[in-house]
Amino acid sequence: QVQLVESGGGLVQAGGSLRLSCAASGRTLSNYAMGWFRQAPGKEREFVVGIARSGINTAYADSVKGRFTISRDNAKNTVYLQMNSLKPEDTAVYYCAADAGSLYSYSSPRKEVYDYWGQGTQVTVSS
């Protein structure tokens, strides 16, 4: 079992930046592909970005390409999401998730395959 705790959310103006962190305990994160998802009010939870166990292979939703960057520090058991050029439509609760079953160089955009989830952190972007 792995426990995930997100932090770093908050209120920011459009065009600003935030860095989210996802700290893990219980198991080493190097054994998991990691993903960030988000859920806005009244909407489905959607994939934002994923990073494979390799730490090299990443996948981004089209809506965040060029603005968001995922990284992982296995020594700190932490995954990060750097968010730049934020837009009001980025407003949502952001969740990190861990997937034990993906291939070494793959991270899935499907939320159904993720085994563990954090409690989420709110990101609000004002216009």
Side-chain angles (χ1 to χ4, degrees):
Q1 189 105 4
V2 60
Q3 292 79 41
L4 303 172
V5 178
E6 302 96 335
S7 61
L11 173 64
V12 64
Q13 288 188 329
S17 298
L18 283 174
R19 188 175 82 152
L20 305 184
S21 300
C22 173
S25 60
R27 297 280 175 89
T28 177
L29 268 189
S30 61
N31 293 327
Y32 300 87
M34 298 298 296
W36 284 96
F37 292 77
R38 66 187 181 186
Q39 188 167 18
K43 294 189 176 182
E44 294 286 322
R45 190 170 298 188
E46 65 175 6
F47 172 76
V48 177
V49 58
I51 186 166
R53 288 187 287 140
S54 68
I56 298 173
N57 305 91
T58 57
Y60 291 85
D62 288 343
S63 58
V64 305
K65 279 181 183 176
R67 300 188 298 122
F68 289 13
T69 303
I70 190 171
S71 61
R72 65 192 302 162
D73 185 338
N74 289 336
K76 294 184 177 180
N77 235 24
T78 301
V79 175
Y80 303 98
L81 179 61
Q82 178 66 44
M83 305 187 295
N84 299 327
S85 302
L86 282 161
K87 304 175 181 180
E89 50 264 43
D90 295 317
T91 295
V93 177
Y94 283 71
Y95 300 89
C96 69
D99 168 25
S102 288
L103 296 175
Y104 182 71
S105 58
Y106 179 73
S107 59
S108 175
R110 297 177 57 237
K111 57 183 181 291
E112 294 81 6
V113 308
Y114 286 81
D115 305 290
Y116 304 103
W117 292 82
Q119 82 291 347
T121 185
Q122 175 70 47
V123 171
T124 303
V125 185
S126 63
S127 57

